[in-house]
Amino acid sequence: MAETTYLEAIRQGIAEEMERDPRVFLLGEDIGALGGPFRVTEGLLDRFGPTRVIDTPVSELAIVGAAAGAAHMGLRPVCEMQFIDFIACAYDMITNYVATARYRGGLSTPLVIRGPSGGYVRGGPFHSQNPEAAFLHTPGLKLVCPATARDAKGLIKSAIRDDDPVLYFEHKYLYRRVKEDLPADPEILVPLGSARVARAGHHLTVVTWSAMVWKALEAAERLDREDGLSVEVLDLRSLVPLDDAAIVASLQRTNRVLIAHEDTRTGGMAGEIAARINELAFEWLDAPVRRVCAHDVPLPYAPPLEDYILPQAEDLVAACRWLANY
Amino acid sequence: MAETTYLEAIRQGIAEEMERDPRVFLLGEDIGALGGPFRVTEGLLDRFGPTRVIDTPVSELAIVGAAAGAAHMGLRPVCEMQFIDFIACAYDMITNYVATARYRGGLSTPLVIRGPSGGYVRGGPFHSQNPEAAFLHTPGLKLVCPATARDAKGLIKSAIRDDDPVLYFEHKYLYRRVKEDLPADPEILVPLGSARVARAGHHLTVVTWSAMVWKALEAAERLDREDGLSVEVLDLRSLVPLDDAAIVASLQRTNRVLIAHEDTRTGGMAGEIAARINELAFEWLDAPVRRVCAHDVPLPYAPPLEDYILPQAEDLVAACRWLANY
Amino acid sequence: MPSSRSTAGPQPLPTDLSATDLLALYYYMRLTRVLEERLVALHRQGKVVGGLFRSLGQEADAVGSAYALEPGDMLSPLIRNLGSMLVQGATPLEVFRQYMAKAESPTAGRELNIHFSDLERGFLGQVSSLGTMVPVMAGITLYFKLTDQPRVGLVYVGDGAMSTGAFHEGLNFAAVQRVPLVVVCENNGYAYSTPTRMQTAAARLVDKAAGYGLPGVRADGNDVVATYEVTREAVTRARAGGGPTLIELVTYRRKGHAEHDDQRYLPAGELEAWEQNDPIARYRDRLIGAGWAGVEDLGREDARVETEVDGALARCIDEPFPAIGTALSGVFADPPAAEPEWYRALPGAPSDRRAGEPPHG
Amino acid sequence: MPSSRSTAGPQPLPTDLSATDLLALYYYMRLTRVLEERLVALHRQGKVVGGLFRSLGQEADAVGSAYALEPGDMLSPLIRNLGSMLVQGATPLEVFRQYMAKAESPTAGRELNIHFSDLERGFLGQVSSLGTMVPVMAGITLYFKLTDQPRVGLVYVGDGAMSTGAFHEGLNFAAVQRVPLVVVCENNGYAYSTPTRMQTAAARLVDKAAGYGLPGVRADGNDVVATYEVTREAVTRARAGGGPTLIELVTYRRKGHAEHDDQRYLPAGELEAWEQNDPIARYRDRLIGAGWAGVEDLGREDARVETEVDGALARCIDEPFPAIGTALSGVFADPPAAEPEWYRALPGAPSDRRAGEPPHG
Ligand SMILES: Cc1ncc(C[n+]2csc(CCOP(=O)(O)OP(=O)(O)O)c2C)c(N)n1
Ligand SMILES: Cc1ncc(C[n+]2csc(CCOP(=O)(O)OP(=O)(O)O)c2C)c(N)n1
Ligand SMILES: [Mg+2]
Ligand SMILES: [Mg+2]
């Protein structure tokens, strides 16, 4: 067992699936000789050759469209968006073509679209986005956002094996900052749609995912130390399908819930979760469902501005205190 | 005073603004000689000439991009999407370029993107969409959805005069079905961000917009007749900015709220409203906030399937009864 | 899919088409036209649920190009490629059912008109967003290439669709990857009301080919043999590993964009001129003139078309719409179906009460 | 913006450039290079907050093409068009401030590197999505056309960006509308690690012009006079109502995509070959060889560049980052600022209690 970074975990997961299933292949910009800007696919061209690691023109829409066509025929393409922000260029293809293919015409379209997402890295407005809300809304797409190395590996493998299109949003801040001992087990699989209790607690629940999980854990630690508050951190891991049962179960234990995400607030995932909690467990609420999210502005570049606009651990601390005192 | 249809009201509003302000011009596919597939722009080419009514190639991204460039320079473009579904093709341009232009670089981008949206017309999955949730989430875009002829006119005029980009989603089912006496007043203006009480009531509130307003009114009528329930119908008119105060005020009167929209549920606008209600007026809730929305599937073509998937007046009746009995 | 060569008839047969093939081309064009005419009648009667899109005058380009494919090849049609789909084996029965949204339609009432697929028979249905199918077919043919199968793909684009980003990205991708894809541009003069000169400043649409490093050819789209021949050549090149070809077929859309379109935007006389260039009438004259077929042969094909169309219509006209319960299945493989919304499956009482607590209010 | 013609020096001056213009071209190229070299040092010191993108070896294509514009014209640069922006009047001070995210930077710390605009001086900053600025500049030049102003726009695209749908839609739109837009493709051999032959199968990027019905010209991008001349001709045509031109400038990106890129993907010897074709060294030799400028003249320009760059850096190096409060303003004109999130402006007590009721739980 060796320490594996979040980034290596993704690479391992992809490589293992390519090894296991000859139908799996990769396409994206600069994923071959370069290995992608963050080196997620480093070494895979050498290992699997240019018919399974395909460098494409700068054409996100064509990458996804071509992946869809190949997927209809039984292949299992994994597309890289060089930065996940550019997934916007393939929005029509993803939402109108890929997402609807099975429903419209029984076309199986098992593909994965993955790429570096998220902020806290001074990337400015176009290299820091979390585009989950843009796709959450389209029936037919699954959506996962790992926070740990283990989940990064387990979810990429499950995503590749899934028979539906899966958007896999990896967080670039975690790439090399998060590592853990992973068994050399090629069957680390994390099922889509299952949340994980990242830390158990009984005073209140923070529902979150991706990089924000680490901020929530930091906040929980501090609240424990400074306030004697026991905060449960629920790492959703998948946004679609959403593990409603895990959210409700946690809420039933704590009766207070904070939803935290890095993306901007209005129209974000937190709204959906708040509505579901109302529908599924209203009577268990001892305080309003509250959100901690980025401010509703494009993400600025200057460090103090980025830090101000994005939610930080101390914001979670403050919000948890507010909820606990309610 | 003559009866003006919703469709004529849009056309009148556009024409009056073109008359009033030489900076206003139109661009879109087939908006000139054809007047658009629904004839919204009929007659405007003859009246204003080909430099103010520009037929474009089939290029939604270029239509919006060119509009943005012209808007930076002080013009006021109004773009038509032939069906609003095709706005997906301009998604990157709208969310990454247009929405961020002022924040990034102080670039003023006063443009309107409008087009026929909505279902109930046997249009199938690609001629029936309500893409509000896809844009709601992007800071920098305003979003309006009129339900009446008066608001159709008042909002298009306000949208054109607004200094920010506005998405104006008109509902094709209402085009010729909704009419009203409009004064020949060129200053019918409906401010962005202000909701309208479409029907006052005190037992519960239905928060809704666009075509669903009419279904809510029908349901309210029936609930009054059959159950003696007094249902308030709040027509939001604008989704961004959202009239939080009107929602809270209504809820404070009725203590029960149903949010109804035609678009699919998951990740839709109703989630955002549910979250805001939790944040702003949780203690006034005597029942969970509930949603009535389309089922989470691409909209099917066959009449019974479309009717099943979309929310109908009787669904609102059932949901209101549930809430009232809670 | 030409059958083996034969040499009947006084003039030599064109290219590699047999007399049987020549009759088949006639049959498919007639079938296209008659089927659409029946659909017009059904549309007037309100039996066609949505819009109706004619290919009147374009039957040759659709049929001739599709006929250049072999079994195992795949095409993706546009709204005016009913003829292409028929060549690939789509049936009048399926088409009627689609337009009338019948339960037994290929998409079970979910999609409209000829938006349906059968990967076995070799056609992949379009979606509405123009240009989309070009990258998707680039992917299908990438699959052919990656798996070393000698199969070819064919995708249609209109003069309008060529303005989309999707077309550009897809064609460029296909060209760089040298996939076995033939791209047929049907230049029918209009995109809805927009004439081709307002769609592009290029002198000819085929002039775009060089920009992608591709061979480009232009042919008379109303000559079914010509459309067959140019496509056949491109298909052969693609199959041999020579990569994509861009073909421009020049034709004319003689009906409005859809049935409701009164074509107010047409310049005077233009339509009438093209009526003189009807692809079926031209081909009929040629078949007879060259001695490749007799009047009776053609009469037999005409009768067969009528019988088949009538039979298909009779069979499905009274079929039901799909049952509403079907609408929730198949968004995902897993889960196989969505739950009905709560207000449809009305719970007798709220299910989320805190155990033992009285209800609010 | 050439000043009036003059005829000093032993060889005749090229085209319509005066001796002053020739020195200005040199000055802008040197300014670009020196400024970038300073940025490299700042980047190593961690003072450049984000990435750094060099235009080493491409200074001629940026400067020469931009120099062909007149006051009132507008250009939209790419990441390697620092030189073009300097020609349009952007200052080293602004550039330093942008890279270091200073409060006084043109975007007040919101956007990075050279993503900033000044419509007065005539440059519109890019966004990251490649291709986007082509339709936007089509709109700016549409404005020039609609308002009958004799102004011209220039937009740059890379060999990579030409694969985007945005490029295609924008160029086609511009061509159909015949707007006064010049499109300069900088073929620098790579898009990040992807060589141009994997980006397109076209023999030359300029071969795309015909597909849009446009004139296309190709020039040596490392010859600043040549880039000036081809652009000048296109600008003049555009101003006269002749519509867009597609220009391909052949050059080479001598540094990695960004500072962190080790260029592992380069074939051996390629970089070295291009180092022999440095646009500044070439131009310097030519200026001196043709007698258009003396060594002392160039020395004066070199010194001026150093002084300006040093002065700008000294002025801003210790400036502060923007104040956090500024981050909420200017998403909309109305409302002018967003509210801080509730967890930042912590309310002392919940504000939504029902009056007179005890809190829950
Ligand atoms: C991306 C997109 N934008 C707009 C439309 C609306 N639309 C449907 S058909 C059509 C014209 C198509 O013209 P063309 O490509 O020439 O095909 P034709 O109808 O002539 O066969 C338009 C604009 C669409 N379907 N997709
Ligand atoms: C739509 C889009 N996709 C991907 C990227 C990531 N990206 C940034 S620069 C670049 C390469 C650009 O190459 P080219 O257009 O040739 O410009 P150059 O850097 O060579 O000047 C890529 C792929 C992007 N910025 N935008
Ligand atoms: Mg056409
Ligand atoms: Mg390049």
Side-chain angles (χ1 to χ4, degrees):
Chain A
M1 298 213 314
E3 282 244 302
T4 306
T5 63
Y6 181 96
L7 187 147
E8 285 158 7
I10 302 170
R11 188 193 299 134
Q12 269 182 23
I14 294 171
E16 285 174 16
E17 293 307 300
M18 291 181 78
E19 208 65 81
R20 179 180 167 272
D21 183 349
R23 300 170 305 170
V24 179
F25 75 105
L26 315 183
L27 67 180
E29 298 153 16
D30 308 297
I31 61 171
L34 183 71
F38 294 96
R39 317 292 188 214
V40 174
T41 56
E42 184 159 53
L44 300 181
L45 174 64
D46 285 348
R47 197 158 147 199
F48 297 101
T51 59
R52 296 188 67 197
V53 180
I54 301 179
D55 270 330
T56 68
V58 183
S59 302
E60 286 75 15
L61 190 155
I63 291 169
V64 176
H72 292 336
M73 304 306 286
L75 299 186
R76 302 218 154 218
V78 180
C79 310
E80 173 167 308
M81 302 284 108
Q82 190 158 99
F83 283 83
I84 205 67
D85 311 62
F86 305 123
I87 199 173
C89 300
Y91 183 81
D92 180 58
M93 183 61 78
I94 297 171
T95 60
N96 282 327
Y97 189 82
V98 171
T100 63
R102 182 181 298 281
Y103 189 79
R104 277 185 293 112
L107 295 163
S108 177
T109 317
L111 59 83
V112 176
I113 303 173
R114 51 157 288 276
S117 66
Y120 303 103
V121 297
R122 306 353 182 170
F126 305 116
H127 289 77
S128 306
Q129 295 175 13
N130 294 282
E132 58 237 25
F135 296 100
L136 163 68
H137 171 253
T138 303
L141 303 174
K142 293 177 177 174
L143 220 156
V144 300
C145 304
T148 67
R150 191 192 176 89
D151 288 345
K153 181 163 179 182
L155 284 169
I156 192 70
K157 289 168 68 81
S158 295
I160 292 172
R161 294 191 196 183
D162 202 87
D163 289 333
D164 291 312
V166 181
L167 310 184
Y168 177 99
F169 295 160
E170 56 211 49
H171 202 294
K172 67 177 89 66
Y173 181 85
L174 304 180
Y175 272 156
R176 295 185 169 83
R177 287 186 180 84
V178 158
K179 24 174 145 346
E180 95 191 74
D181 277 345
L182 287 188
D185 173 4
E187 289 303 300
I188 294 188
L189 291 171
V190 174
L192 306 191
S194 89
R196 173 183 75 96
V197 176
R199 176 190 175 111
H202 55 267
H203 286 128
L204 62 91
T205 302
V206 180
V207 174
T208 189
W209 58 93
S210 196
M212 194 61 57
V213 168
W214 300 99
K215 303 219 179 276
L217 290 172
E218 191 187 328
E221 192 62 44
R222 208 176 123 195
L223 287 162
D224 183 17
R225 220 168 43 236
E226 297 179 11
D227 303 53
L229 272 177
S230 164
V231 175
E232 176 144 313
V233 177
L234 188 68
D235 173 3
L236 290 179
R237 306 197 292 193
S238 296
L239 304 186
V240 181
L242 184 62
D243 192 345
D244 292 327
I247 297 172
V248 169
S250 182
L251 173 60
Q252 288 178 338
R253 282 193 294 277
T254 63
N255 305 114
R256 283 172 165 77
V257 63
L258 181 75
I259 311 164
H261 62 59
E262 182 183 322
D263 192 14
T264 49
R265 185 194 51 187
T266 297
M269 178 73 199
E272 176 62 27
I273 299 172
R276 292 213 190 174
I277 289 174
N278 264 263
E279 289 164 347
L280 299 172
F282 178 68
E283 292 290 339
W284 277 275
L285 283 173
D286 285 345
V289 180
R290 296 224 62 160
R291 300 180 284 185
V292 166
C293 313
H295 288 81
D296 278 341
V297 308
L299 194 65
Y301 165 60
L305 303 190
E306 179 177 28
D307 290 344
Y308 178 79
I309 292 304
L310 291 181
Q312 306 295 343
E314 57 267 33
D315 300 322
L316 296 173
V317 168
C320 286
R321 285 189 178 135
W322 187 94
L323 270 179
N325 288 330
Y326 187 90
Chain B
M1 299 217 310
E3 283 243 304
T4 306
T5 63
Y6 180 97
L7 186 147
E8 285 158 6
I10 302 169
R11 187 192 299 133
Q12 267 181 24
I14 294 172
E16 285 173 14
E17 293 307 300
M18 291 181 78
E19 207 66 81
R20 180 180 165 272
D21 184 348
R23 299 170 305 170
V24 179
F25 75 105
L26 315 183
L27 68 178
E29 298 153 15
D30 307 298
I31 60 172
L34 184 72
F38 294 96
R39 316 292 189 217
V40 174
T41 56
E42 185 159 52
L44 299 182
L45 174 64
D46 286 348
R47 199 157 144 201
F48 296 99
T51 58
R52 296 188 66 197
V53 181
I54 301 179
D55 270 330
T56 68
V58 183
S59 302
E60 286 76 14
L61 190 156
I63 292 169
V64 175
H72 292 336
M73 304 305 287
L75 299 184
R76 302 222 153 216
V78 180
C79 310
E80 174 167 306
M81 302 284 106
Q82 191 159 99
F83 283 83
I84 204 69
D85 311 61
F86 304 123
I87 199 172
C89 300
Y91 183 81
D92 179 58
M93 184 61 78
I94 297 171
T95 59
N96 282 326
Y97 189 82
V98 170
T100 63
R102 181 181 297 281
Y103 189 79
R104 276 187 293 112
L107 295 162
S108 176
T109 318
L111 59 82
V112 176
I113 303 174
R114 50 156 289 275
S117 65
Y120 303 103
V121 298
R122 307 348 183 172
F126 306 116
H127 289 76
S128 306
Q129 295 175 13
N130 295 282
E132 57 237 24
F135 296 100
L136 164 66
H137 170 254
T138 303
L141 303 173
K142 294 177 178 174
L143 221 157
V144 299
C145 303
T148 67
R150 188 188 179 90
D151 287 344
K153 181 164 179 182
L155 285 169
I156 191 72
K157 289 167 68 80
S158 295
I160 293 172
R161 295 190 196 183
D162 201 87
D163 288 333
D164 290 312
V166 181
L167 310 183
Y168 177 99
F169 294 161
E170 54 209 53
H171 202 294
K172 65 176 90 68
Y173 181 86
L174 304 181
Y175 273 157
R176 294 184 169 85
R177 288 184 179 86
V178 158
K179 27 175 141 356
E180 92 193 78
D181 277 344
L182 288 187
D185 174 3
E187 289 302 301
I188 294 187
L189 291 171
V190 174
L192 305 192
S194 89
R196 173 183 74 96
V197 175
R199 177 188 174 112
H202 54 268
H203 286 128
L204 64 90
T205 302
V206 180
V207 174
T208 188
W209 58 91
S210 195
M212 194 63 56
V213 169
W214 301 98
K215 305 225 178 271
L217 289 171
E218 191 187 327
E221 191 63 44
R222 208 176 122 197
L223 287 161
D224 182 20
R225 218 168 46 235
E226 297 179 11
D227 304 52
L229 272 177
S230 164
V231 174
E232 177 143 314
V233 177
L234 188 67
D235 173 4
L236 290 180
R237 306 198 290 194
S238 296
L239 304 186
V240 181
L242 184 61
D243 192 344
D244 291 328
I247 296 172
V248 169
S250 182
L251 172 60
Q252 288 178 338
R253 282 194 294 275
T254 64
N255 305 113
R256 283 172 165 79
V257 64
L258 181 75
I259 311 164
H261 62 58
E262 183 184 320
D263 191 14
T264 48
R265 186 194 48 185
T266 298
M269 178 73 198
E272 176 61 27
I273 299 171
R276 292 212 189 176
I277 289 173
N278 263 263
E279 289 164 346
L280 299 171
F282 178 69
E283 292 290 339
W284 278 275
L285 284 173
D286 285 346
V289 179
R290 296 227 57 160
R291 299 180 286 184
V292 165
C293 314
H295 288 80
D296 279 339
V297 308
L299 194 65
Y301 165 59
L305 303 190
E306 180 178 25
D307 291 343
Y308 179 79
I309 292 304
L310 290 181
Q312 306 295 343
E314 56 268 33
D315 299 322
L316 295 173
V317 168
C320 286
R321 284 189 178 134
W322 187 93
L323 269 180
N325 288 330
Y326 185 89
Chain C
M1 50 209 96
S3 59
S4 59
R5 196 178 289 258
S6 93
T7 47
Q11 287 189 22
L13 292 179
T15 62
D16 55 354
L17 291 167
S18 71
T20 316
D21 294 325
L22 292 176
L23 270 187
L25 290 174
Y26 178 80
Y27 161 77
Y28 284 119
M29 290 203 287
R30 286 286 305 162
L31 184 59
T32 306
R33 183 161 299 178
V34 170
L35 185 45
E36 286 188 2
E37 282 165 359
R38 280 304 188 288
L39 285 166
V40 171
L42 290 168
H43 189 259
R44 296 223 174 98
Q45 295 160 36
K47 297 242 157 77
V48 165
V49 175
L52 173 59
F53 303 80
R54 297 290 308 275
S55 66
L56 183 74
Q58 299 186 220
E59 295 89 346
D61 96 57
V63 167
S65 53
Y67 205 79
L69 296 178
E70 300 282 341
D73 292 345
M74 178 93 74
L75 67 73
S76 184
L78 288 179
I79 194 65
R80 300 190 211 291
N81 294 109
L82 173 58
S84 320
M85 287 179 74
L86 295 170
V87 170
Q88 290 294 87
T91 67
L93 180 61
E94 288 173 311
V95 173
F96 281 131
R97 283 174 168 162
Q98 273 292 116
Y99 266 103
M100 294 191 287
K102 299 295 192 186
E104 298 293 321
S105 73
T107 65
R110 289 166 183 204
E111 252 284 26
L112 27 74
N113 55 59
I114 58 168
H115 290 202
F116 65 98
S117 305
D118 185 342
L119 302 185
E120 288 301 313
R121 281 178 284 175
F123 52 92
L124 177 66
Q126 64 169 325
V127 290
S128 296
S129 284
L130 294 168
T132 296
M133 302 316 293
V134 181
V136 176
M137 287 299 293
I140 296 231
T141 49
L142 179 65
Y143 161 78
F144 294 159
K145 184 186 124 179
L146 294 179
T147 54
D148 248 331
Q149 301 179 54
R151 298 167 68 183
V152 171
L154 190 165
V155 65
Y156 296 92
V157 284
D159 42 285
M162 289 176 95
S163 300
T164 63
F167 162 78
H168 174 70
E169 293 199 5
L171 186 57
N172 185 56
F173 183 100
V176 170
Q177 288 295 327
R178 265 181 103 79
V179 293
L181 178 64
V182 176
V183 179
V184 172
C185 161
E186 297 175 290
N187 184 355
N188 64 0
Y190 289 87
Y192 211 142
S193 72
T194 305
T196 305
R197 81 189 134 70
M198 290 172 70
Q199 197 68 239
T200 175
R204 312 173 319 151
L205 293 173
V206 74
D207 291 345
K208 293 181 186 290
Y212 301 93
L214 296 179
V217 280
R218 197 178 205 229
D220 178 350
N222 283 22
D223 174 347
V224 70
V225 175
T227 67
Y228 168 79
E229 285 175 337
V230 289
T231 315
R232 184 78 180 161
E233 196 185 317
V235 164
T236 305
R237 176 165 45 239
R239 203 180 311 281
T245 303
L246 182 66
I247 298 174
E248 177 181 1
L249 299 179
V250 181
T251 181
Y252 191 79
R253 194 195 72 204
R254 273 172 35 209
K255 286 286 175 186
H257 173 67
E259 276 299 288
H260 56 75
D261 173 7
D262 58 13
Q263 296 172 281
R264 59 177 71 174
Y265 45 78
L266 292 190
E270 189 180 84
L271 179 59
E272 294 69 19
W274 279 91
E275 277 167 356
Q276 302 314 309
N277 184 10
D278 181 74
I280 303 185
R282 260 177 78 179
Y283 186 52
R284 193 186 163 88
D285 291 350
R286 184 164 172 202
L287 283 174
I288 294 172
W292 294 335
V295 175
E296 328 69 52
D297 298 323
L298 302 183
R300 236 179 355 258
E301 296 301 321
D302 291 346
R304 186 176 144 215
V305 162
E306 296 287 336
T307 313
E308 287 176 7
V309 170
D310 289 345
L313 182 54
R315 174 140 169 228
C316 69
I317 185 82
D318 293 324
E319 285 180 349
F321 285 138
I324 54 174
T326 64
L328 294 177
S329 66
V331 175
F332 293 108
D334 173 29
E339 294 284 302
E341 282 288 339
W342 68 286
Y343 51 82
R344 284 277 159 72
L346 288 178
S351 61
D352 65 338
R353 288 286 147 82
R354 206 186 280 211
E357 271 200 26
H360 255 265
Chain D
M1 50 207 91
S3 59
S4 59
R5 195 179 289 259
S6 93
T7 47
Q11 287 189 22
L13 292 179
T15 63
D16 56 355
L17 291 167
S18 70
T20 316
D21 295 323
L22 292 177
L23 270 187
L25 290 174
Y26 178 80
Y27 162 77
Y28 284 119
M29 290 201 287
R30 287 284 307 160
L31 183 59
T32 306
R33 183 160 299 177
V34 171
L35 187 45
E36 286 188 0
E37 282 164 359
R38 279 306 186 289
L39 285 166
V40 171
L42 290 168
H43 189 259
R44 296 221 174 100
Q45 296 161 37
K47 297 243 158 79
V48 164
V49 174
L52 172 59
F53 304 81
R54 298 289 308 274
S55 65
L56 182 73
Q58 298 186 224
E59 294 89 346
D61 96 56
V63 167
S65 54
Y67 205 79
L69 296 178
E70 299 281 340
D73 292 345
M74 178 95 72
L75 67 73
S76 184
L78 288 178
I79 195 65
R80 298 188 213 291
N81 294 111
L82 172 59
S84 319
M85 287 178 75
L86 295 171
V87 170
Q88 289 295 86
T91 67
L93 180 61
E94 288 173 312
V95 173
F96 281 130
R97 283 173 168 164
Q98 274 292 116
Y99 266 102
M100 295 191 284
K102 301 293 191 185
E104 298 294 319
S105 74
T107 65
R110 291 168 181 202
E111 254 283 25
L112 27 74
N113 55 58
I114 59 169
H115 290 204
F116 65 98
S117 306
D118 185 342
L119 302 185
E120 288 301 314
R121 280 178 282 174
F123 53 91
L124 177 67
Q126 64 168 324
V127 290
S128 296
S129 284
L130 294 167
T132 296
M133 301 316 293
V134 181
V136 175
M137 286 300 293
I140 295 229
T141 49
L142 179 65
Y143 160 78
F144 295 160
K145 183 186 126 182
L146 293 179
T147 54
D148 248 330
Q149 302 179 54
R151 298 166 68 182
V152 171
L154 189 165
V155 66
Y156 296 92
V157 284
D159 42 283
M162 289 178 95
S163 299
T164 63
F167 163 78
H168 174 70
E169 293 199 5
L171 185 58
N172 185 55
F173 183 100
V176 169
Q177 288 295 328
R178 266 181 102 77
V179 293
L181 179 64
V182 176
V183 179
V184 171
C185 160
E186 296 175 291
N187 184 355
N188 63 0
Y190 289 87
Y192 213 139
S193 71
T194 306
T196 305
R197 82 190 134 67
M198 290 174 70
Q199 196 68 239
T200 175
R204 309 174 319 152
L205 293 172
V206 73
D207 290 345
K208 294 182 184 289
Y212 301 93
L214 295 179
V217 281
R218 194 177 207 233
D220 178 350
N222 285 20
D223 175 346
V224 69
V225 175
T227 67
Y228 168 79
E229 284 174 338
V230 289
T231 314
R232 184 76 182 164
E233 195 185 319
V235 164
T236 304
R237 176 165 45 242
R239 202 181 312 280
T245 302
L246 182 66
I247 298 174
E248 177 181 1
L249 299 180
V250 181
T251 181
Y252 191 80
R253 195 195 71 204
R254 278 177 26 215
K255 284 287 174 186
H257 174 67
E259 275 300 286
H260 55 74
D261 173 8
D262 59 12
Q263 296 172 281
R264 60 177 71 176
Y265 44 79
L266 291 190
E270 190 181 86
L271 180 60
E272 294 69 19
W274 280 92
E275 277 167 356
Q276 302 313 310
N277 184 8
D278 182 74
I280 302 185
R282 262 178 77 180
Y283 186 52
R284 193 186 163 87
D285 291 350
R286 184 163 172 203
L287 283 174
I288 294 171
W292 294 335
V295 174
E296 326 70 51
D297 298 325
L298 301 183
R300 243 186 341 266
E301 297 300 321
D302 292 348
R304 186 176 143 212
V305 162
E306 297 287 337
T307 312
E308 286 176 8
V309 170
D310 289 345
L313 182 54
R315 177 148 166 218
C316 71
I317 185 79
D318 293 323
E319 284 181 349
F321 285 138
I324 55 175
T326 64
L328 295 176
S329 65
V331 175
F332 294 108
D334 173 27
E339 294 283 305
E341 282 288 338
W342 67 285
Y343 52 82
R344 286 275 161 74
L346 288 176
S351 61
D352 65 337
R353 288 285 149 78
R354 208 186 278 213
E357 271 198 26
H360 256 265

